[in-house]
Amino acid sequence: VLSLNMSRIFSSPLLLIASLAIFSLIHLSFQQQCAVIDTPEGPIDISGLSSKEYSVTGEKGWTYHAKVCGSFSNFGPCTFTQSGISSYQVYSDESLCHFLGTYNAKTTVALTDPSNPKGGVTLKYADGEFSTGLDRSTQIDLVCDETDSGAFTCVGNCEEESAARVNYHFSLKTKSACPGGGGGEEGGRPPLWPVGILGLLSILFAIGIQLYWPIGLIVNKFVRKKEGIEIIPNVHFWKDLPFLLKDGFLFVFKDIMYDKIISKIVAKIRGGRGGASYEQA
């Protein structure tokens, strides 16, 4: 029954479009994080670096790979199941790999020195791999460089370890970290500044909502000659919506959250306690 109702959810054009819009807005919001930092000396736009890949070999036999405001689709000799990986390391004999940070909603970009826009920006990735007792994260200092050398280097020996955490610290010299140095025309301001793509989509979505009801009612009443409750646009969809939301909730939290995540955690706890019961776990 659940799979049947889920097929109804995705067979509804309106709900499918809404779902795609939500996922697109989430993706664009990540891009918007890196798009522009407005400063008195002009905007700093590092989004143009997202298509490039950077690498450096450290002192301990590790080679580090990173992207700016983007994620990898290919990891060379490494195999990861995590999505959105923005930095990872490979040992010299390719026997070990760890991912060091993820490009997601926790990604932050800020001026390195708020009082000095030409001091560059600091990009931080959280949610790196947790293994060998270490919680990993990544920091990239984007240094304003008018020559645009693109030099990607380690800060110190690349690794800053404290307690059970290790932060992988790099430096990138780029013109994009300078006020007015990146982006499109008008001194680095990207297209659609200051609204941005996300803002434009939000405006269009709001206008669409305002037009949906009156136009739908008029079309159903005078063109399709419907009467009563049937003049409501997509009336059967709105009647089914509470049940569709319920099925969607069950699909996410039962089929995905519990079956694929929570059940595995419970199994590990039970195994670690010598076969303790579910209630004990």
Side-chain angles (χ1 to χ4, degrees):
V1 175
L2 181 60
S3 60
L4 177 61
N5 287 333
M6 287 309 299
S7 67
R8 290 172 62 199
I9 290 175
F10 291 108
S11 64
S12 168
L14 184 60
L15 191 58
L16 181 58
I17 292 172
S19 301
L20 292 174
I22 291 171
F23 287 123
S24 298
L25 289 175
I26 292 172
H27 176 70
L28 286 168
S29 69
F30 294 163
Q31 292 182 323
Q32 199 74 5
Q33 285 177 300
C34 289
V36 171
I37 299 176
D38 204 19
T39 75
E41 299 185 27
I44 297 176
D45 179 8
I46 61 174
S47 61
L49 302 175
S50 61
S51 62
K52 301 179 181 180
E53 298 181 5
Y54 303 92
S55 62
V56 60
T57 300
E59 301 174 357
K60 299 180 180 181
W62 293 94
T63 297
Y64 305 89
H65 303 266
K67 296 198 71 173
V68 174
C69 296
S71 57
F72 287 94
S73 58
N74 183 282
F75 306 100
C78 305
T79 301
F80 299 116
T81 57
Q82 173 73 22
S83 62
I85 294 174
S86 54
S87 58
Y88 68 98
Q89 62 180 160
V90 187
Y91 197 61
S92 56
D93 62 1
E94 299 184 352
S95 62
L96 293 172
C97 299
H98 301 293
F99 68 89
L100 314 178
T102 304
Y103 183 44
N104 57 23
K106 296 181 183 178
T107 299
T108 61
V109 181
L111 291 174
T112 302
D113 180 359
S115 65
N116 179 23
K118 292 185 177 180
V121 298
T122 298
L123 169 65
K124 293 182 179 181
Y125 295 124
D127 293 339
E129 179 180 331
F130 181 80
S131 62
T132 62
L134 294 174
D135 189 10
R136 296 172 170 82
S137 60
T138 297
Q139 175 177 328
I140 303 176
D141 296 332
L142 292 98
V143 180
C144 174
D145 179 17
E146 295 291 350
T147 66
D148 205 23
S149 65
F152 184 72
T153 57
C154 290
V155 174
N157 66 352
C158 290
E159 302 181 10
E160 301 171 343
E161 188 172 343
S162 60
R165 301 182 62 85
V166 57
N167 183 55
Y168 296 85
H169 198 172
F170 308 101
S171 174
L172 172 62
K173 293 184 177 181
T174 173
K175 185 179 180 180
S176 295
C178 303
E185 301 175 354
E186 301 180 16
R189 293 187 185 277
L192 303 177
W193 170 265
V195 177
I197 297 176
L198 179 61
L200 177 63
L201 288 178
S202 300
I203 293 172
L204 293 176
F205 180 76
I207 294 174
I209 290 295
Q210 295 295 322
L211 296 176
Y212 169 76
W213 290 105
I215 292 178
L217 289 170
I218 293 172
V219 169
N220 284 340
K221 176 68 175 178
F222 298 104
V223 178
R224 297 178 178 174
K225 307 299 182 181
K226 294 185 177 181
E227 299 291 339
I229 195 174
E230 292 296 323
I231 69 171
I232 297 176
N234 303 105
V235 61
H236 299 293
F237 166 76
W238 295 114
K239 289 170 65 176
D240 290 342
L241 183 60
F243 305 101
L244 296 175
L245 292 175
K246 175 186 175 183
D247 293 336
F249 180 85
L250 291 174
F251 174 75
V252 171
F253 287 94
K254 180 183 181 300
D255 289 16
I256 298 178
M257 293 294 293
Y258 180 78
D259 292 347
K260 295 185 178 181
I261 300 176
I262 299 176
S263 60
K264 292 181 180 180
I265 295 174
V266 171
K268 288 183 179 180
I269 295 175
R270 294 178 64 184
R273 297 188 178 186
S277 67
Y278 178 84
E279 289 78 9
Q280 290 173 325

